[in-house]
Amino acid sequence: MSERFHIVGISGSLRKHSHNTQLLHNAAALLPEDFRFTLADISVLPLPIRIWKVNCRSGEAVCRAAAFGEWLLISSPEYNGQLSGALKNALDWASRPALQTPLAQKPVALMGATPGMGGTGRAQVGIRSLLFALNMDSVNRPEFLLPQSHTKFDESGALTDPMAQQIMQQLVDNLVTKIKKHANEQ
Ligand code: FNR
């Protein structure tokens, strides 16, 4: 079956053995056959603070996602109770050009992993208000917070916690449903 839909994953962590990046790979394995998954490399995006006229370079997956209609799946760590600077920078890039952001109305789902006890709950509150500011169409349920993430994966990077697997499956299913509904309406 050819892949009709392309989901771009954004990990808010640039750490080599990131639990959030592992979570995205686990979620990608749950997608139906007609979906393709790309993990965006947001480490290449320079800080645009000095450039007012930021233009999405089509070479960057996160910009391509914004510009050419793909859908987003975000997994974020929690840094000092908020989202990471790398994730905010990536979404700022993808939010351009101003007032015509290609992110508007685009389905997006959110999850997060941390070795801490809070499961990135505080960060996700901030990220959801950012997605609202970007006028994105967020999957609001289930909320997927993964605490003590260092105990939840095996050596191969597979998620081992049954409750987390169940919630992630539900999140992926709800994102797929929203994407297909959007596609049928266009
Ligand atoms: C953290 N970490 C952290 N964790 C948490 O649960 N709440 C927090 O507020 C913070 N604050 C924080 C600040 C900074 C600057 C760093 C570098 C880290 C720990 C963080 O969740 C941990 O590094 C995770 O492993 C990040 O996810 P990845 O890299 O495994 O995907």
Side-chain angles (χ1 to χ4, degrees), residues 8-86:
V8 172
I10 301 180
S11 171
S13 169
L14 305 182
R15 205 166 63 84
K16 188 159 178 269
H17 299 295
S18 157
H19 301 153
N20 283 281
T21 304
Q22 282 173 357
L23 217 46
L24 285 169
H25 289 303
N26 279 266
L30 301 176
L31 289 169
E33 278 177 13
D34 53 349
F35 277 72
R36 181 163 58 93
F37 175 81
T38 304
L39 181 67
D41 176 7
I42 64 172
S43 67
V44 298
L45 291 171
L47 282 170
I49 292 177
R50 296 180 303 280
I51 314 160
W52 280 109
K53 286 254 171 290
V54 166
N55 285 312
C56 235
R57 283 181 296 153
S58 59
E60 306 308 337
V62 64
C63 283
R64 205 166 43 246
F68 302 108
E70 281 96 347
W71 328 96
L72 294 186
L73 176 58
I74 296 172
S75 189
S76 176
E78 182 172 278
Y79 287 174
N80 299 315
Q82 300 293 325
L83 74 165
S84 66

Side-chain angles (χ1 to χ4, degrees), residues 42-173:
I42 64 172
S43 67
V44 298
L45 291 171
L47 282 170
I49 292 177
R50 296 180 303 280
I51 314 160
W52 280 109
K53 286 254 171 290
V54 166
N55 285 312
C56 235
R57 283 181 296 153
S58 59
E60 306 308 337
V62 64
C63 283
R64 205 166 43 246
F68 302 108
E70 281 96 347
W71 328 96
L72 294 186
L73 176 58
I74 296 172
S75 189
S76 176
E78 182 172 278
Y79 287 174
N80 299 315
Q82 300 293 325
L83 74 165
S84 66
L87 176 60
K88 179 66 170 57
N89 187 51
L91 290 173
D92 286 345
W93 266 95
S95 70
R96 301 298 90 184
L99 306 179
Q100 303 153 313
T101 168
L103 290 174
Q105 302 297 330
K106 191 161 290 172
V108 58
L110 173 64
M111 53 191 183
T114 169
M117 294 304 287
T120 72
R122 294 178 296 174
Q124 292 201 21
V125 170
I127 297 170
R128 287 194 185 279
S129 75
L130 173 57
L131 298 177
F132 172 80
L134 293 169
N135 192 19
M136 295 195 76
D137 185 4
S138 295
V139 173
N140 292 317
R141 292 293 183 276
E143 292 180 278
F144 184 18
L145 316 172
L146 190 69
Q148 298 188 301
S149 53
H150 54 296
T151 67
K152 302 281 172 61
F153 296 94
D154 67 15
E155 303 72 49
S156 71
L159 187 63
T160 54
D161 181 274
M163 173 63 85
Q165 287 168 331
Q166 200 182 336
I167 297 171
M168 181 157 72
Q169 181 68 64
Q170 187 58 60
L171 184 69
V172 168
D173 292 349

